[in-house]
Amino acid sequence: DCDYLLVPTSHTYDLVKSWNPRAKKILQVPISVDTEKFKFCPEHRAELRKKHNIEDRTVSFYLGKFGYLYYTEKEFAIFCKLLHQHNPNFYFLVVTPNPLQEVESAFLEQGFSKKDFVILPKIPYNEVESYISSADLGLVAIPPFPSQKYRTPVKVGNYLSCSLPYLITKGIADDDVLAEKENVGVVFDSLEEKDFEKSLPALDKLL
């Protein structure tokens, strides 16, 4: 009985239309971010890269949780190890509300040296864009479950608003389509080893 229905993705739009083909007032409204706040800042980039001694590294940044709707710490660390083996210049900067020791242990179990990664706790909201600015690639650790095409991860909006390309799995919102269509990201079928090689040419080209 509502006047308007707002849906986050084209997949949700199609789903709702299939339930009620006569519906006319459906609007697609993806996740939104403040593009005045989330901007690339070269000064903050230089400051943070100097602070962590990563001025000459290719920095992959992950902002978010592990487990439940996301890949586990171990699954994520295994994928990062594959990236690092492909390109030893990769450095992994992780900001997460999960227990830091568990995430760090997952990286160490994969044979990482502490010079190649850092795990940080939640950072103040007013510093998020600075950390995004310090990176060269944003990571999205969401498994390609069928239901994930109906959600819109806010971190992708944050990454894009700061001009950061991203790496994502297939079937996440419309973000996988956007990544390839607009050349702003790289799509992996999954973050599992069996799907790793296929997307490497696109990753190398983007970087």
Side-chain angles (χ1 to χ4, degrees), residues 165-178:
Y166 58 94
L167 186 157
I168 196 166
T169 55
K170 198 170 185 178
I172 309 301
D174 293 311
D175 297 337
D176 56 335
V177 176
L178 180 69

Side-chain angles (χ1 to χ4, degrees), residues 55-172:
E55 293 158 291
D56 59 346
R57 304 295 295 270
T58 301
V59 179
S60 296
F61 178 63
Y62 178 67
L63 174 69
K65 302 175 183 178
F66 296 102
Y68 188 47
L69 291 177
Y70 302 86
Y71 279 103
T72 65
E73 297 93 335
K74 181 178 180 179
E75 291 169 328
F76 181 76
I78 290 173
F79 179 75
C80 290
K81 185 63 177 180
L82 293 171
L83 286 176
H84 192 257
Q85 288 173 340
H86 175 66
N87 183 349
N89 197 48
F90 266 120
Y91 182 91
F92 300 93
L93 173 57
V94 178
V95 175
T96 180
N98 286 65
L100 302 189
Q101 188 173 358
E102 293 181 10
V103 184
E104 182 174 298
S105 294
F107 271 76
L108 293 175
E109 286 173 7
Q110 295 307 313
F112 271 102
S113 164
K114 286 193 174 183
K115 67 180 179 61
D116 292 321
F117 76 96
V118 65
I119 314 298
L120 302 175
K122 288 180 68 176
I123 54 180
Y125 182 67
N126 62 358
E127 296 180 16
V128 175
E129 63 270 25
S130 299
Y131 279 85
I132 296 175
S133 294
S134 74
D136 302 296
L137 182 70
L139 302 180
V140 182
I142 301 175
F145 300 143
S147 61
Q148 301 288 14
K149 63 184 179 181
Y150 302 114
R151 66 179 292 186
T152 52
V154 66
K155 62 174 62 65
V156 174
N158 292 336
Y159 291 163
L160 286 176
S161 190
C162 293
S163 304
L164 184 68
Y166 58 94
L167 186 157
I168 196 166
T169 55
K170 198 170 185 178
I172 309 301

